[in-house]
């Protein structure tokens, strides 16, 4: 942690004792600063700080952080107009404060404008590096209460308009329009800026669905809509996530699309499944539940820290049938080739299908990243598929909607391996049938059914 971050953290602790409302906003500003300056991930930082606050403040901090990140492109467009200067020259902590303040002015109408301005200035004064810019923050925020920046003219340059209006990088707008058309691209970008459903996976190895839901309700969780699968539910609220039910391993937070990708394996009870690129363990533990105590899951990943997290998750969920192997999937895997009935490769990807949970990804990805990741994914698929025995299957999945990372990787693999074919029989599965396309690929999007953007294909070795 840098000296500036430490000062911000200490300022937050001090303000907790004197002004809890200001403390929550100061914490949000600190997280935004670290995401911007350190390339940190907002969900990780939120997970480390939110337990210090009561439920209402947790919700506010989360909304401020994720909302500001999601709308950063539009906020920066307007801040450039309001400040009359390039944002690169503004002190980073002050810029984080102004982004968050402008987000509140434009998107959170329950907060009085004067309160937003006063809070922004108070935060700037409490952060040493931003203190000298507090007058500048005050002037910009006050100007923002009086005027807004004019939007680009859609008729003159439609994609520039869409980039600002929906707060996505222009190159990403161009890709979405090319892939889905203008209307679908607009719906997709609208959905990307919304909050993701709070989906969890029930650990049915620890009790029935009804029994676990009863315990969750007793812990104060608000039970919302059921998911597609018996193990899936969506929460309306979670006042204290690390509850008794959490500690007892009754559930795991996991998006519904992620759960569906694991379900495409459809392993038989007692089977051995290899989960390649298994960290942080969500799918590996899901598979451990599916195969049962007599089956086993071999979780492989290069990231030793990620494997430790996966081991901790398996321990919390009380799955004793998961083994862990540290290996590089872009090289040869230290497992016997042609020996396994079921293999899952949930490959590392751009994450462009998860912008609701990780809005910072929008501003970090570059136009060449999908193709760059596809080259890595292709090597990993080659090595993972070598483990599959005749008659066995591999499921390849990514949390991306980029064609290069989905069907592009699979089509390239099939062109090189005539002994594999797409298994279209999975479309008959009730949980999956409405997200399987004519080729047998699972494709989901936030604007279609509210699911994260995933691609998955089940390939059978003939």
């Amino acid at each position: 942690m840098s000296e500036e971050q430490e000062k911000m953290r200490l300022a937050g602790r001090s303000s907790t004792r004197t002004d809890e409302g200001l403390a929550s906003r100061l914490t949000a500003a600190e997280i935004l600063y670290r995401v911007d300056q350190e390339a940190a991930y907002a969900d990780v930082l939120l997970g480390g700080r939110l337990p210090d606050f009561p439920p209402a403040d947790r919700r506010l901090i989360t909304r401020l952080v994720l909302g500001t990140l999601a709308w950063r492109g539009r906020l920066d467009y307007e801040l450039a107009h309001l400040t009359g200067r390039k944002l690169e020259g503004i002190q980073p902590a002050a810029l984080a404060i102004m982004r968050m303040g402008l987000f509140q002015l434009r998107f959170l109408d329950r907060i009085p404008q004067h309160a937003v301005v006063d809070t922004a200035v108070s935060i700037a004064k409490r952060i040493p590096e931003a203190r000298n810019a507090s007058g500048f923050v005050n002037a910009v925020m006050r100007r923002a209460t009086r005027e807004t920046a004019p939007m680009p003219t859609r008729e003159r340059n439609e994609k520039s308009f869409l980039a600002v209006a929906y707060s996505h990088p222009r190159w990403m707008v161009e890709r979405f329009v090319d892939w889905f058309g203008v209307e679908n691209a607009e719906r997709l970008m609208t959905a990307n800026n919304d909050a993701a459903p709070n989906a969890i996976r029930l650990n049915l190895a620890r009790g029935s669905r009804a029994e676990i839901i009863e315990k969750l309700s007793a812990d104060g969780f608000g039970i919302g809509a059921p998911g597609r699968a018996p193990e899936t539910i969506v929460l309306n609220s979670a006042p204290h996530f690390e509850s008794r039910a959490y500690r007892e391993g009754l559930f795991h937070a996991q998006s519904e699309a992620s759960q569906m990708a694991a379900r495409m394996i459809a392993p038989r009870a007692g089977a051995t499944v290899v989960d390649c690129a298994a960290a942080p363990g969500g799918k590996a533990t899901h598979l451990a539940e599916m195969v049962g105590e007599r089956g086993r899951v071999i979780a492989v990943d290069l990231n030793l820290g990620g494997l430790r997290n996966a081991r901790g998750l398996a321990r919390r969920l009380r799955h004793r049938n998961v083994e862990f192997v540290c290996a590089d999937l872009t090289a040869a895997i230290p497992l016997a080739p042609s020996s396994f009935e079921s293999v899952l490769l949930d490959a590392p990807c751009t994450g462009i299908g998860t912008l609701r949970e990780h809005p910072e990804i929008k501003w970090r990805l570059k136009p060449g990243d999908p193709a760059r990741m596809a080259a890595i994914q292709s090597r990993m698929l080659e090595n993972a598929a070598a483990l599959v025995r005749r008659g066995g299957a591999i499921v390849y999945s990514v949390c991306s909607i980029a064609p290069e990372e989905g069907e592009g990787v699979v089509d390239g693999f099939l062109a090189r391996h005539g002994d594999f074919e797409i298994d279209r029989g999975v479309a008959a599965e009730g949980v999956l049938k409405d997200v399987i396309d004519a080729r047998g690929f699972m494709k989901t999007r936030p604007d279609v059914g509210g699911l994260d953007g995933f691609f998955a294909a089940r390939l059978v070795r003939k």
Side-chain angles (χ1 to χ4, degrees), residues 10-303:
L10 292 175
R13 284 187 174 181
S14 173
S15 63
T16 301
R17 293 191 293 269
T18 59
D19 186 340
E20 293 185 358
L22 182 60
S24 61
R25 289 165 173 81
L26 182 56
T27 296
E30 174 196 348
I31 292 173
L32 289 168
Y33 171 83
R34 293 188 61 189
V35 168
D36 184 52
Q37 294 297 299
E38 295 181 359
Y41 285 95
D43 61 336
V44 176
L45 297 179
L46 285 167
R49 299 299 302 274
L50 291 182
D52 297 335
F53 292 89
D57 283 351
R58 294 180 197 176
R59 290 191 292 271
L60 175 61
I61 294 169
T62 301
R63 183 76 179 103
L64 290 175
V65 170
L66 297 185
T68 301
L69 289 171
W71 289 100
R72 198 186 90 172
R74 184 160 172 173
L75 298 174
D76 283 2
Y77 173 84
E78 188 162 358
L79 282 172
H81 168 80
L82 294 170
T83 62
R85 65 175 68 177
K86 292 183 178 181
L87 301 188
E88 293 82 358
I90 297 176
Q91 202 283 325
L95 181 58
I97 294 167
M98 290 191 293
R99 282 170 172 160
M100 187 177 75
L102 188 59
F103 170 73
Q104 293 175 84
L105 290 176
R106 299 297 183 253
F107 296 97
L108 302 183
D109 54 7
R110 292 185 179 183
I111 304 176
Q113 291 188 340
H114 68 86
V116 172
V117 175
D118 291 345
T119 299
V121 175
S122 295
I123 292 173
K125 289 179 178 178
R126 286 173 181 256
I127 299 173
E129 285 73 18
R131 189 172 297 147
N132 290 337
S134 61
F136 178 65
V137 170
N138 180 49
V140 173
M141 289 293 95
R142 289 189 180 280
R143 184 178 181 186
T145 64
R146 299 190 302 269
E147 62 179 283
T148 60
M151 292 286 290
T153 304
R154 183 165 191 163
E155 292 73 18
R156 183 175 300 173
N157 193 319
E158 183 173 49
K159 290 176 183 175
S160 292
F161 166 82
L162 294 174
V164 174
Y166 294 100
S167 191
H168 282 63
R170 184 188 163 98
W171 73 266
M172 198 175 287
V173 173
E174 293 172 350
R175 298 286 178 91
F176 288 170
V177 171
D178 289 344
W179 297 340
F180 310 118
V182 173
E183 291 185 7
N184 286 330
E186 288 192 69
R187 284 193 286 266
L188 171 61
M189 291 186 289
T190 298
N192 283 342
N193 290 329
D194 289 338
N198 195 1
I200 63 173
R201 174 172 58 82
L202 306 181
N203 183 6
L204 299 183
R206 303 275 295 130
S208 70
R209 177 185 174 91
E211 290 169 342
I212 296 176
I213 288 178
E214 182 179 356
K215 291 181 179 180
L216 287 170
S217 298
D219 277 351
F221 287 84
I223 307 301
R228 295 160 176 261
E231 65 267 29
T232 309
I233 61 172
V234 178
L235 298 175
N236 288 332
S237 61
H240 41 87
F241 207 74
E242 294 190 5
S243 60
R244 180 180 60 180
Y246 175 87
R247 294 190 299 272
E248 291 179 357
L250 301 185
F251 71 93
H252 172 60
Q254 186 176 2
S255 78
E256 191 165 8
S258 174
Q259 297 178 43
M260 291 162 62
R263 266 189 163 266
M264 288 190 72
I265 286 285
R268 59 179 177 82
T272 295
V273 182
V274 181
D275 181 5
C276 302
K283 295 180 180 65
T285 52
H286 195 182
L287 293 168
E289 178 189 326
M290 291 180 187
V291 300
E293 293 180 355
R294 295 187 178 183
R296 67 172 180 152
V297 176
I298 303 174
V300 184
D301 203 285
L302 176 61
N303 186 326

Side-chain angles (χ1 to χ4, degrees), residues 419-434:
D419 56 335
F420 279 86
E421 63 184 0
I422 300 169
D423 179 10
R424 292 173 175 80
V426 73
E429 169 66 45
V431 173
L432 302 169
K433 61 183 181 182
D434 63 331

